[in-house]
Amino acid sequence: MRVILASGSPRRKELLKLVVPEFEVIVSNVEETLKEGLTPEEQVKRLSYIKAKDVFDKTEGDRIVIGSDTMVAKNDQIYGKPKNKEHAKEMIKELINGDKTHKVITGLSVLVQENEQYKEHITYDEVIVHLKDISEEEIDEWINTGHAMDKAAAYSIQDEFCVFIEKIEGNFTTVVGLPTHKLYDIIKE
C-alpha cells in the first residue's frame, strides 16, 4: 500500500524509515495557525490532522497518509519557532526558569483508505524534558550554531543542545517529532 508522509521534515523522514522502509513525501501547504481556546494537546492533534487531510484530499487510491506536529509547552504557554536570535534566547531562559521542566507534545494523524474503507487515527504523545542549568554564554553558543532558529522552543534534542538535557520521561522519538511507537501500532493494525 502507498504510504505518504505529509511533512518535509528531515527528522520525520529519518524516523519514518525506521517503521516503513518505502514511502513518499508530499508536503502539506496548510497554514499552521493555532486555534484560540485549545490546549497544547488539542492544538497538535488538530494541526497533525489538517496536514494529513490536506495531502489525503490531493491523492487517490489505497493509501496511508501520516501527519505530525510537535509543540513545546511550559505552564500552558506554547513555544513555537523563534522569530530571531533574541527571541530564541528568551525562550531557552524561560524553559530553564523554575523547575527546568517542560512538555514536548507531538500529534499524530494517520488517515487510511483501503478497499473503499476509510479510517482516521488521531492521537498524540507527550514527553517531560528536564533541562540542566545553562549559562548565558552556553545559550549564545547554541544559538550561534544556527540550529535553534527552525525548531520549536529554539532547541532540538538530536543536535548539540543534547548536552543540556538532564533526562526525558517518555519516548525519544516523540521529542524528535514522530512518535514511532504509536505509529507502528497503528500501521500494524
Side-chain angles (χ1 to χ4, degrees):
M1 183 180 308
R2 186 176 175 198
V3 177
I4 304 166
L5 176 63
S7 171
S9 163
R11 294 163 298 282
R12 288 192 179 111
K13 286 185 218 173
E14 287 176 27
L15 290 173
L16 184 55
K17 282 181 194 171
L18 301 173
V19 181
V20 180
E22 291 186 30
F23 58 91
E24 300 170 53
V25 172
I26 301 175
V27 179
S28 167
N29 293 318
V30 297
E31 193 173 319
E32 296 182 41
T33 55
L34 300 181
K35 193 170 184 182
E36 189 81 28
L38 296 181
T39 66
E41 294 80 6
E42 292 165 333
Q43 298 283 8
V44 295
K45 284 170 51 176
R46 180 184 155 274
L47 289 172
S48 72
Y49 177 77
I50 64 173
K51 290 177 188 178
K53 186 73 168 122
D54 177 60
V55 171
F56 187 88
D57 289 345
K58 293 175 182 170
T59 56
E60 295 179 344
D62 287 355
R63 65 204 179 283
I64 299 171
V65 178
I66 301 161
S68 190
D69 192 76
T70 302
M71 287 185 183
V72 175
K74 182 171 183 166
N75 301 326
D76 286 328
Q77 179 177 342
I78 295 172
Y79 293 84
K81 294 175 183 173
K83 297 175 185 108
N84 53 43
K85 287 184 175 186
E86 307 309 316
H87 189 219
K89 187 172 186 174
E90 183 183 305
M91 285 181 177
I92 292 171
K93 284 182 163 187
E94 287 178 18
L95 293 177
I96 60 173
N97 191 23
D99 67 2
K100 296 181 187 60
T101 66
H102 61 275
K103 297 189 288 189
V104 176
I105 309 147
T106 297
L108 175 66
S109 291
V110 182
L111 310 183
V112 182
Q113 176 78 42
E114 184 175 24
N115 299 325
E116 308 290 324
Q117 298 270 351
Y118 175 73
K119 279 189 185 175
E120 293 181 346
H121 304 271
I122 304 164
T123 187
Y124 73 94
D125 197 42
E126 187 174 289
V127 174
I128 304 295
V129 178
H130 298 257
L131 296 177
K132 297 173 11 181
D133 283 322
I134 310 171
S135 71
E136 291 259 349
E137 184 181 314
E138 289 169 323
I139 293 171
D140 289 337
E141 285 175 13
W142 159 247
I143 291 169
N144 288 332
T145 66
H147 296 150
M149 301 315 294
D150 67 338
K151 311 287 189 310
Y155 84 87
S156 56
I157 194 170
Q158 70 275 13
D159 287 321
E160 296 92 334
F161 195 85
C162 68
V163 299
F164 304 120
I165 296 174
E166 186 71 42
K167 68 178 179 177
I168 65 170
E169 296 174 47
N171 191 294
F172 173 79
T173 64
T174 296
V175 182
V176 179
L178 187 69
T180 55
H181 61 299
K182 290 198 173 216
L183 178 60
Y184 177 78
D185 289 344
I186 292 168
I187 290 177
K188 187 171 81 169
E189 183 185 303

